[in-house]
Amino acid sequence: MADTARDRITRFFQKNVANRVMRRMPFQTLLETTGRKSGEPRRTPVGGRRVDDSFWFVSEFGEKSHYVRNIMADPRVRVRINGRWHRGTAHLLPDDDTEARLRELPQFNSIGVRTFGTNHLTVRVDLVD
C-alpha cells in the first residue's frame, strides 16, 4: 500500500515533534525495541494499557512502523509504565479486532490512532518483571 501525503505528514510530525517531546515526559509510556540495523535501543512513546502481566497497544501504521519492524527482527522489548521499566516479549496480532481493542484502551490515544492511522495492528507485550 502506497504512502499517502497524510501518512508522510503524520510520521514527520510524530518523529520530529511529538515523539521527541513525549520521550522526555517522566510518566509517558515508552516502548524500547532494539534497532534491527543499528542494534541500538530505540524508544517510542505508545499509548496502551497493562492487563495483568501483559501490555496491549495498537500500532497506527502496522508493519510500516519502524518499531514493528524492530519487533519482527527481535521481539525482546522493554516497556516503561508509570515510570518503571519492564522487560517483555512482544507479539504482533494481525488477526485481533483492532477497533474492539481500541475501545478497551485509553480513549485519548485511541482517538489519535483511529484518526491518523491507516494500517492498525495490535501488539501484546508479555511482561516478565
Side-chain angles (χ1 to χ4, degrees):
M1 180 158 60
D3 279 351
T4 66
R6 184 180 82 163
D7 293 347
R8 289 188 300 274
I9 291 167
T10 299
R11 279 198 303 275
F12 178 85
F13 176 77
Q14 287 175 334
K15 178 181 178 184
N16 295 296
V17 180
N19 288 356
R20 289 180 183 200
V21 171
M22 297 306 287
R23 275 194 294 261
R24 289 176 171 75
M25 306 292 275
F27 286 99
Q28 169 64 46
T29 301
L30 296 177
L31 172 70
E32 183 181 83
T33 60
T34 301
R36 64 193 176 284
K37 295 178 184 176
S38 68
E40 297 294 320
R42 300 293 183 214
R43 292 182 177 172
T44 305
V46 294
R49 174 169 285 140
R50 183 175 183 159
V51 179
D52 300 322
D53 290 331
S54 296
F55 182 79
W56 293 81
F57 67 99
V58 175
S59 169
E60 289 172 296
F61 298 109
E63 291 184 14
K64 289 185 179 182
S65 296
H66 289 280
Y67 67 83
V68 169
R69 292 178 185 178
N70 290 344
I71 288 169
M72 293 168 72
D74 182 354
R76 294 172 298 171
V77 300
R78 292 193 322 151
V79 182
R80 186 178 77 181
I81 305 168
N82 295 325
R84 183 170 176 259
W85 285 101
H86 304 268
R87 290 178 299 122
T89 302
H91 303 275
L92 306 177
L93 305 171
D95 296 327
D96 191 58
D97 181 346
T98 56
E99 282 304 311
R101 184 70 54 199
L102 286 168
R103 286 190 294 274
E104 297 173 357
L105 298 176
Q107 288 307 298
F108 182 75
N109 183 75
S110 294
I111 290 168
V113 171
R114 280 191 201 94
T115 302
F116 299 108
T118 55
N119 187 24
H120 301 154
L121 176 65
T122 299
V123 180
R124 183 190 77 231
V125 178
D126 295 333
L127 304 171
V128 289
D129 63 353

